[in-house]
Amino acid sequence: MNITKEQIDELNAVVKVAVTKEDYQDKVETILKDYRKQANIPGFRKGQVPMGLIKKQYGKAVLVDEVNKLLQDNLNKYLTEEKLDVLGNPLPKQQDNFNWDAEDFAFEFELGLAPSFSIDLKSKDAITHYKIVADAKMIDEQVERLQKQYGKLISKEVVGKTDEITGTFVNEAEEIDHKTTLELDKIKDENALKSLIGKKAGEVVTLNTKDLFTEDYLLGSSLGISATKADNLEIEVSFTIEEINERELAPLDQEFFDKLFGKDVITSEEGLKERIKTDSEKQFEQQSDQKLLNDVTEHFIETTKFDLPEEFLTKWIKTTGEKQLTDDEANEEFKKSEKGLRYQLIEGKIIQENGIQIQFEELKDFAKGFIKEQMAQFGQLDPKDEELDGIAARVLSNQDEVKRLSEQLMSQKLLNLYKEKANLTSKEVTYEDFVKEVYG
């Protein structure tokens, strides 16, 4: 077998494969002999069918199958040995006069080649790395939420401005009939608030769902409908008041601190606020890091210029999916995937040039850390290492989980690299300002 490459341009090449009878004959003959031993054809004893009949019946199918296997194996080997960085897969060129009855065959495959480009991690323009801090206002609000959560409910006769009301929302046309508890300090609509204050159990109030709550997500949960259905919902609903309660805040005493964090872990209001600040900023760091990763990704895509073998990739997209696409559909799919493909190439180059690798022990430790965080959410704060090892082993036996965790660990390694080498400027903001600045 002879394989040669014809370079069309920097991004495109054609590989030519010449297959001779000597390349496939022995294998084809062996398979046909096995077929003869097993063949059951009327008029002949098993194993005694003439080879000519076997060849006539099965010969071409076996030939085609074996030649295709040879092509696949040798083409992949050639691409590896020649260190050709290809995009997609080789595409066979159409040959109108191809003849499977010949003894020697010639095949041609189109290749799309990865472009050459360079990446400068230390860009001229600095990328903002947000440091989100928990300010006094946020900490005080969190303390009050905790006091409410652990406080006492005191029954009331009449609705007050800061009370909690249990009742049922109804709208027959939208099939809404849902019992819920409303915190009046979460009501945004002033007219709705006025209509509720002063009411007693048993009374019915009509409310409009548009801008009813301070947070959009509250509408769906309060009405018992999906977030999708609740989005931009503007209807009138009746609300029947069933129970009115005032929540008395839990005192900031040692019993309260122990309920939150365990005995004597926190012993003062100042200690509580410091713990809340520390825990909140740790959570904010994850959001800040994700924002940085997104911004660095966008920066590299915008500033790293290179061409792609667009015609080849469009043809590859057109022919290699579950169903063959039209030219217009393939062009549209290429446009959708181009940005992702560009970043895959950029990320791959960054990983290669900086020698970033994932070792199994690293992945195992990463999985154990993830499992430990999950267990902590369910109150298991100090699991034994043997238990973590066992769970990690089960998780890592699942290839989908291995892929997911590997991607997360690689993202963390890239993030650490960017923090070390990229041109970053730190900006300290409150969470409220971060949300306004980043999400508008």
Side-chain angles (χ1 to χ4, degrees), residues 169-216:
F169 277 112
V170 174
N171 180 295
E172 291 184 4
E174 295 293 336
E175 298 181 339
I176 294 171
D177 188 346
H178 186 69
K179 186 173 181 177
T180 190
T181 297
L182 301 179
E183 296 178 41
L184 262 64
D185 58 2
K186 300 290 177 61
I187 299 291
K188 180 181 178 181
D189 186 346
E190 289 295 330
N191 291 327
L193 200 57
K194 288 177 183 177
S195 65
L196 288 165
I197 293 173
K199 295 295 188 293
K200 297 180 179 180
E203 294 194 67
V204 180
V205 178
T206 299
L207 304 173
N208 193 298
T209 59
K210 181 176 173 59
D211 296 327
L212 180 59
F213 293 104
T214 55
E215 302 289 344
D216 292 339

Side-chain angles (χ1 to χ4, degrees), residues 101-237:
D101 291 325
E103 292 187 343
D104 298 337
F105 309 104
F107 301 91
E108 293 185 357
F109 295 88
E110 297 178 64
L111 302 182
L113 305 177
S116 297
F117 59 92
S118 59
I119 299 174
D120 183 10
L121 290 178
K122 205 77 172 178
S123 58
K124 180 180 177 182
D125 297 325
I127 300 169
T128 301
H129 183 202
Y130 292 93
K131 176 176 172 53
I132 308 171
V133 296
D135 60 353
K137 177 174 176 284
M138 169 177 279
I139 294 169
D140 288 343
E141 288 174 349
Q142 179 65 6
V143 170
E144 186 175 338
R145 275 195 291 271
L146 291 169
Q147 286 181 280
K148 281 184 177 181
Q149 182 180 342
Y150 289 89
K152 296 178 182 177
L153 285 178
I154 301 172
S155 179
K156 292 183 63 180
E157 294 291 327
V158 179
V159 177
K161 191 172 182 179
T162 59
D163 292 340
E164 296 180 10
I165 313 171
T166 299
T168 302
F169 277 112
V170 174
N171 180 295
E172 291 184 4
E174 295 293 336
E175 298 181 339
I176 294 171
D177 188 346
H178 186 69
K179 186 173 181 177
T180 190
T181 297
L182 301 179
E183 296 178 41
L184 262 64
D185 58 2
K186 300 290 177 61
I187 299 291
K188 180 181 178 181
D189 186 346
E190 289 295 330
N191 291 327
L193 200 57
K194 288 177 183 177
S195 65
L196 288 165
I197 293 173
K199 295 295 188 293
K200 297 180 179 180
E203 294 194 67
V204 180
V205 178
T206 299
L207 304 173
N208 193 298
T209 59
K210 181 176 173 59
D211 296 327
L212 180 59
F213 293 104
T214 55
E215 302 289 344
D216 292 339
Y217 75 89
L218 290 171
L219 182 61
S221 60
S222 297
L223 299 182
I225 59 177
S226 68
T228 304
K229 184 175 180 179
D231 190 32
N232 297 319
L233 183 67
E234 188 174 348
I235 60 171
E236 286 190 339
V237 289

Side-chain angles (χ1 to χ4, degrees), residues 33-41 46-47:
K33 286 177 182 177
D34 289 340
Y35 274 36
R36 185 179 182 228
K37 291 177 184 177
Q38 302 300 323
N40 284 311
I41 296 178
K46 186 176 180 180

Side-chain angles (χ1 to χ4, degrees), residues 3-15:
I3 303 179
T4 58
K5 177 171 69 76
E6 178 187 348
Q7 194 76 29
I8 306 301
D9 55 39
E10 288 186 358
L11 300 174
N12 294 275
V14 173
V15 168

Side-chain angles (χ1 to χ4, degrees), residues 175-372:
E175 298 181 339
I176 294 171
D177 188 346
H178 186 69
K179 186 173 181 177
T180 190
T181 297
L182 301 179
E183 296 178 41
L184 262 64
D185 58 2
K186 300 290 177 61
I187 299 291
K188 180 181 178 181
D189 186 346
E190 289 295 330
N191 291 327
L193 200 57
K194 288 177 183 177
S195 65
L196 288 165
I197 293 173
K199 295 295 188 293
K200 297 180 179 180
E203 294 194 67
V204 180
V205 178
T206 299
L207 304 173
N208 193 298
T209 59
K210 181 176 173 59
D211 296 327
L212 180 59
F213 293 104
T214 55
E215 302 289 344
D216 292 339
Y217 75 89
L218 290 171
L219 182 61
S221 60
S222 297
L223 299 182
I225 59 177
S226 68
T228 304
K229 184 175 180 179
D231 190 32
N232 297 319
L233 183 67
E234 188 174 348
I235 60 171
E236 286 190 339
V237 289
S238 67
F239 182 72
T240 302
I241 300 171
E242 299 169 16
E243 187 179 331
I244 307 163
N245 291 295
E246 178 183 7
R247 189 170 288 273
E248 183 180 85
L249 299 182
L252 295 173
D253 56 18
Q254 194 58 49
E255 181 183 357
F256 177 64
F257 302 147
D258 290 349
K259 283 180 181 177
L260 291 174
F261 301 106
K263 186 170 176 58
D264 295 332
V265 174
I266 301 294
T267 58
S268 66
E269 182 178 346
E270 291 73 20
L272 172 63
K273 290 184 176 182
E274 187 58 40
R275 176 64 179 264
I276 290 173
K277 179 179 174 65
T278 300
D279 290 350
S280 297
E281 290 180 354
K282 185 177 180 181
Q283 292 180 358
F284 295 155
E285 187 176 352
Q286 295 176 2
Q287 295 184 57
S288 172
D289 283 349
Q290 187 59 56
K291 171 63 177 168
L292 176 61
L293 197 58
N294 293 342
D295 287 348
V296 172
T297 298
E298 287 296 325
H299 169 78
F300 284 140
I301 292 173
E302 290 174 8
T303 59
T304 308
K305 304 298 182 184
F306 53 81
D307 293 326
L308 291 170
E310 184 173 339
E311 184 178 342
F312 169 84
L313 289 170
T314 303
K315 187 187 296 186
W316 178 68
I317 290 170
K318 179 181 178 180
T319 58
T320 56
E322 292 183 3
K323 66 171 187 175
Q324 184 157 324
L325 305 178
T326 65
D327 289 341
D328 288 342
E329 288 172 336
N331 282 322
E332 189 62 31
E333 282 300 312
F334 173 76
K335 290 175 183 176
K336 289 179 183 177
S337 60
E338 181 181 5
K339 189 174 183 179
L341 175 57
R342 287 182 177 278
Y343 186 66
Q344 282 181 19
L345 292 170
I346 292 168
E347 184 181 75
K349 193 172 186 68
I350 292 172
I351 291 169
Q352 180 186 25
E353 290 185 346
N354 291 277
I356 302 176
Q357 296 180 335
I358 293 178
Q359 305 295 338
F360 179 75
E361 285 303 317
E362 285 182 303
L363 187 61
K364 181 181 176 183
D365 289 342
F366 185 75
K368 287 167 66 176
F370 180 78
I371 293 163
K372 195 172 182 178

